[in-house]
Amino acid sequence: MNRKEKSAAHSHNFVFMVVLIIFTLFCVAAQGQEVPELDAVQEQKLVEGFDKTKKKGKFFKALYEDFLKYGTIYIAGNLNNPYQKQSIDYVVRTNPSGSLYDVPVVEDATEYHEFDYRYGLGIRRIARFDYENKEKAYYDGTEKNVALSSPTAAFDGWEYLFHWEKERERGEVFTNHRYFLRHTGKYHIAKIESRAEGNVGFEYNSAEVRARLPIGKKFSISAGAILRTHQQAFGYNPVEIWLNETNENGQAVNPWYTLGFEYGYDDIYYTQQDALGNNISDWYWTDPDGNIVANTDLEFRETVFADLMNRYNREQWALLDSFAEVAPIVGADYYLYREKFWLHTYINYILPYHKYVHGDEQYSYLHRNGWSEEGHDSMHQMGDGEQWDDYQGGIIMGWNITSKLGIFVEGEYTKFWDMEIFKSTVGLNLEL
Amino acid sequence: MKLWIAILLLIPTLTFSQSYKDGLVVIQYSADFVKTHEVDIGELKEVEAIRLYLTQHPQVFKKEEIKYLPTVVLYHNGKTIVRIESDISLQLPDNTLEELQSHINKIVKQKF
């Protein structure tokens, strides 16, 4: 049930309660006036009605106990100073007279941004592991919990996080969300998740179902299937393929400079004689408006051309739909907590049996190495593609060696498609 | 990758000293002759409920210094949270389950 449906359901409940109270008052008033005599059929109907009400009551009680209890609804926002460079940038402009040799005008060219802000709302019911402390006395949507990435949870049952926020950072406005729903039981794990972080252009959706086998109380293994989506065409570099295409003589079909022509740039050959009588020849480049943008091929390649490569890639990637793939997944999780020592380690391994179910497969990660000098079209004879391993592992360990000395290690490593993400912390605390 | 697998295999081997008191668990220490005086710890929510009998686990009873039967103890990660013992008539207090549930609720709530 989403928030909109939930609020609609709450409205219905409220209306229902009001009607019920009025009806009850009416019944009490009516009973005070007259006690009706009921026959057997009417009595039976009343009993059935009472049973239904009891069932409904049980349903709402179960809904509260299993899903809403311990949940928190929050609305939060913050305002911060914008990012600002420590040094101020100045530029020199030509005097308004137009003469290059008159006193120039010095201007502050530092980029100033409006204040940063973030506001969001959500509902959460995510259990913390025993070694995790509540970051603040309240929830504001910025919390990071191990339970969101580890395969098992600190609490059996429903866990969820539905968070939406809008933020402005360095003058740019983004919308982010994280929707997470998981049910953990002794022998199963079911999870769906959707994340979007506008400031880094990150979008990720996944759904997984696993059978779980606890081995003792601390260790469990799991196996199942996972569906994941990705927006980015990992491993597909359009400009690289375009530039490397060659003909039967081994010559480039698309010489690098022809990319400039594709975008309306032009090169003009010139020869110049310097003061010493030496002839210098090269190509200068003009933009689609005829303005000179580079005096040599080398200058063009080091400046404008780099932008054109990125532009070409962006345009080609934009032509592609998002991708979705399914694969088998296995995992293991070990959790031990004592006041003086705790250890939580987990691993998720997505086996190399990926099957794309959405998106153009020939541009998918499965065929990242499928292109050749014949260009991308050669990938039409691509075969089954090239499978790969994805995995994620994490460890959190703490040891209070004495009442005053403690050490801790935390780390997580994720390798999904082309992405490698890792974070680690190691340290020692000595209380004086 | 290999490192994670090694860690995962090594650590459980080294620390597989399985404890029945891990996590949030309520244990009813009892014996056949006081079965009728037991409380139904299965009614408790959000906790693992275990019954141990003197004839089957005498060492555990000795280790846990169980002197009265039945005795109900709530553990959280090996630490005793509350211990409720029967009286001279072998009866546990009437509010045993309520008291246990109250402690359980407090502990579970702290996780969220």
Side-chain angles (χ1 to χ4, degrees), chain A residues 360-375:
Chain A
D360 193 340
E361 191 182 314
Q362 65 172 317
Y363 296 97
S364 73
Y365 194 61
L366 201 55
H367 299 285
R368 60 199 176 282
N369 296 321
W371 61 278
S372 68
E373 289 80 12
E374 291 168 35

Side-chain angles (χ1 to χ4, degrees), chain A residues 75-86:
Chain A
I75 300 171
N78 59 44
L79 294 174
N80 292 313
N81 283 333
Y83 168 80
Q84 193 178 322
K85 283 175 69 177
Q86 285 194 331

Side-chain angles (χ1 to χ4, degrees), chain B residues 50-68:
Chain B
I50 299 174
R51 284 186 175 84
L52 294 180
Y53 289 95
L54 182 61
T55 48
Q56 292 161 3
H57 305 280
Q59 293 304 318
V60 177
F61 278 64
K62 195 176 175 186
K63 190 181 159 199
E64 299 296 334
E65 297 177 349
I66 303 298
K67 292 173 185 164
Y68 304 94

Side-chain angles (χ1 to χ4, degrees), chain A residues 65-269:
Chain A
E65 292 281 338
D66 298 340
F67 198 76
L68 298 173
K69 194 178 174 186
Y70 308 124
T72 304
I73 295 171
Y74 60 85
I75 300 171
N78 59 44
L79 294 174
N80 292 313
N81 283 333
Y83 168 80
Q84 193 178 322
K85 283 175 69 177
Q86 285 194 331
S87 59
I88 297 172
D89 295 334
Y90 292 102
V91 292
V92 177
R93 302 213 182 278
T94 308
N95 189 288
S97 68
S99 170
L100 189 62
Y101 300 101
D102 281 351
V103 176
V105 179
V106 178
E107 284 183 4
D108 181 354
T110 312
E111 198 177 353
Y112 294 97
H113 302 291
E114 288 187 278
F115 61 89
D116 290 349
Y117 67 76
R118 186 190 71 87
Y119 63 88
L121 72 160
I123 179 168
R124 58 168 287 142
R125 187 187 197 243
I126 302 287
R128 295 188 306 278
F129 286 96
D130 297 294
Y131 56 79
E132 288 183 286
N133 292 320
K134 196 170 177 178
E135 291 171 39
K136 300 168 195 159
Y138 51 84
Y139 289 121
D140 64 2
T142 59
E143 297 77 24
K144 291 176 178 64
N145 291 96
V146 178
L148 292 168
S149 52
S150 68
T152 54
F155 176 79
D156 280 358
W158 288 106
E159 286 183 291
Y160 50 82
L161 169 68
F162 298 101
H163 174 77
W164 176 92
E165 69 178 20
K166 200 161 194 170
E167 67 172 336
R168 183 168 68 192
E169 196 181 312
R170 298 191 189 193
E172 285 193 76
V173 178
F174 308 103
T175 303
N176 310 321
H177 76 248
R178 185 161 197 179
Y179 307 136
F180 176 94
L181 177 68
R182 173 170 62 192
H183 192 271
T184 310
K186 192 172 181 184
Y187 298 108
H188 74 271
I189 303 164
K191 182 174 95 172
I192 51 173
E193 185 178 11
S194 172
R195 285 181 75 178
E197 287 183 29
N199 57 351
V200 287
F202 174 71
E203 275 191 52
Y204 175 74
N205 301 292
S206 74
E208 64 179 87
V209 182
R210 299 194 209 186
R212 182 181 174 220
L213 178 65
I215 302 171
K217 279 191 176 180
K218 303 184 189 93
F219 188 59
S220 74
I221 54 174
S222 58
I226 184 167
L227 169 75
R228 298 179 298 164
T229 69
H230 59 93
Q231 292 289 118
Q232 200 179 330
F234 292 115
Y236 169 51
N237 185 350
V239 77
E240 184 185 11
I241 297 170
W242 190 81
L243 288 172
N244 279 279
E245 192 174 341
T246 53
N247 59 22
E248 59 274 11
N249 300 320
Q251 295 163 327
V253 173
N254 305 303
W256 68 269
Y257 48 84
T258 59
L259 189 66
F261 303 155
E262 296 279 332
Y263 289 103
Y265 289 84
D266 201 2
D267 59 346
I268 295 107
Y269 185 76

